[in-house]
């Protein structure tokens, strides 16, 4: 639809983004894919120690407080691109997710993607802008 920067199709396990260099949208939509594949993630805000606190933190990140899964996708967007903000906005869920990443088979891939995304965001603004248009000339 109009105004949508990306989407996830569960039946096909397909992630699409509108702009090729939009790492934040890619991280958000990939979070939906991981959530779809790993039932433990949804259980994290439905059961276990501190589940209610984690649920409220994710609700606070969601654009719709009824859609906790959107809060999870927003958390992952922050976790991948600005980890300090993810930790500040959702400290209990961040601890749970750090533990999850350390023990789950997807953990190494998540951490590698985060390393690349935070490195990209750590560039000078002019270099980020150039990479979005494919201009890699030195200053």
């Amino acid at each position: 639809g109009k105004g949508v920067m990306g989407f996830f199709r569960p039946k096909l396990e397909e992630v699409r983004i509108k702009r090729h260099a939009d790492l934040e949208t890619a991280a958000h939509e990939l979070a939906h894919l991981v959530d779809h594949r790993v039932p433990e993630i949804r259980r994290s805000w439905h059961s276990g120690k501190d589940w209610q606190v984690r649920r409220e933190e994710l609700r606070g990140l969601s654009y719709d407080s009824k859609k906790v899964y959107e809060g999870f996708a927003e958390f992952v967007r922050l976790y991948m691109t600005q980890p300090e903000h993810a930790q500040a906005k959702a400290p209990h869920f961040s601890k749970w997710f750090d533990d999850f990443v350390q023990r789950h088979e997807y953990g190494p891939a998540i951490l590698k993607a985060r390393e690349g995304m935070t490195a990209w965001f750590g560039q000078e603004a002019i270099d980020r802008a150039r990479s979005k248009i494919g201009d890699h000339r030195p200053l």
Side-chain angles (χ1 to χ4, degrees):
K2 290 187 180 197
V4 174
M5 299 304 293
F7 59 88
F8 167 61
R9 292 183 180 152
K11 289 183 180 177
L12 300 174
E13 289 198 329
E14 175 184 54
V15 168
R16 294 285 181 119
I17 59 172
K18 189 174 198 175
R19 294 189 180 106
H20 76 279
D22 188 349
L23 294 180
E24 290 183 298
T25 300
H28 177 103
E29 299 304 333
L30 287 169
H32 287 306
L33 172 64
V34 173
D35 181 22
H36 175 74
R37 287 185 176 178
V38 184
E40 177 185 357
I41 291 171
R42 293 230 178 176
R43 285 195 302 267
S44 74
W45 66 76
H46 288 291
S47 63
K49 184 182 179 208
D50 294 333
W51 71 270
Q52 292 153 323
V53 174
R54 291 192 300 267
R55 181 181 185 93
E56 289 309 309
E57 288 176 347
L58 295 179
R59 264 184 218 227
L61 291 171
S62 180
Y63 61 81
D64 181 341
S65 65
K66 294 178 181 146
K67 296 180 178 178
V68 180
Y69 60 90
E70 288 296 344
F72 170 71
E74 282 300 292
F75 169 82
V76 172
R77 177 184 65 80
L78 290 171
Y79 183 87
M80 301 297 270
T81 61
Q82 302 167 62
E84 65 284 352
H85 292 300
Q87 178 18 289
K89 292 183 180 220
H92 291 89
F93 191 81
S94 189
K95 181 180 178 340
W96 181 90
F97 197 70
D98 284 338
D99 292 343
F100 169 81
V101 167
Q102 291 305 312
R103 62 183 160 67
H104 195 274
E105 66 180 305
Y106 290 164
I110 291 169
L111 292 174
K112 184 176 181 182
R114 180 171 79 166
E115 181 182 329
M117 288 183 186
T118 57
W120 186 86
F121 273 92
Q123 298 179 91
E124 295 294 324
I126 189 73
D127 294 324
R128 285 193 309 269
R130 283 183 176 152
S131 75
K132 287 188 174 194
I133 61 170
D135 182 351
H136 301 288
R137 293 176 287 171
L139 291 174

